[in-house]
Amino acid sequence: MRKGDLNISYRIYANLAELGKSDADLMLAAEKSLRNAYAVYSGFKVGAALLLENGETILGNNQENIAFPSSLCAERVALYYCKANYPDVKVLKIAITAKASSSKLIVPVTPCGACRQVMSEYERIQDTSIEVILKGEEGEVFVFDRVADLLPLAFQTTAL
Ligand code: THU
């Protein structure tokens, strides 16, 4: 038997001011985007903003449906739009934030497993890391250097 170890580190910033202007601007874009979320069932609005290597910003927000499984998270709305329209442009960063109708989110929102899987594959095929910036409604900001840190041992195979 051998023992495996996973070591994941990330940066914690006290607020957007400490994060720095360009990343703060991306997060502000995500915050703005969540206002367009269609989250009438959960009351939980999520916004995502992608920074592309061509300098463009792509926005997404969660879109829910009365047939609940038809809903889609903000991250995948943004990423699928991005890949549908800019298939060859690398994604440098993704900023994600949320606002709940029930209470104030004072800890960063962290992406669901399905979104991590999708982010992880795009990171792998573009062969450069995608930085992940996470924030709640207020409070600290978490920054992960790469999606792989959020989904260690992600499913991938050459057998398909
Ligand atoms: N949601 C996202 O948009 N992103 C995530 O990473 C987690 C959850 C959405 C889905 C649903 O519309 C609402 O938040 C509550 O789960």
Side-chain angles (χ1 to χ4, degrees), residues 6 11 33-34 40 42 46 52 59 77-78 87-88 91 93 100 104 108 111-112 114 119-120 124 126 135 141-142 156:
L6 291 169
R11 287 169 270 134
S33 178
L34 73 72
V40 290
S42 70
V46 185
L52 308 189
L59 303 177
V77 169
D88 300 320
V91 180
K93 299 170 187 243
K104 185 157 269 190
C112 78
M119 291 192 282
S120 153
R124 177 167 57 81
Q126 75 175 21
K135 185 180 161 294
V141 184
F142 294 172
Q156 52 173 296

Side-chain angles (χ1 to χ4, degrees), residues 42 44 46 62 64 73-75 110-112 115:
S42 70
F44 193 87
V46 185
N62 51 329
E64 298 182 350
C73 294
E75 297 91 322
T110 50
C112 78
C115 289

Side-chain angles (χ1 to χ4, degrees), residues 81-94:
Y81 175 86
C82 177
K83 284 292 159 189
N85 293 284
Y86 304 84
D88 300 320
V89 182
K90 290 186 179 190
V91 180
L92 302 182
K93 299 170 187 243
I94 180 169

Side-chain angles (χ1 to χ4, degrees), residues 37-48 61-65 68 71-77 96-98 109-116 119:
Y38 178 63
V40 290
Y41 301 105
S42 70
F44 193 87
K45 295 185 168 197
V46 185
N61 40 62
N62 51 329
Q63 297 295 320
E64 298 182 350
N65 191 274
F68 290 173
S71 306
L72 197 62
C73 294
E75 297 91 322
R76 278 176 288 161
V77 169
I96 305 162
T97 188
V109 62
T110 50
C112 78
C115 289
R116 292 179 201 211
M119 291 192 282

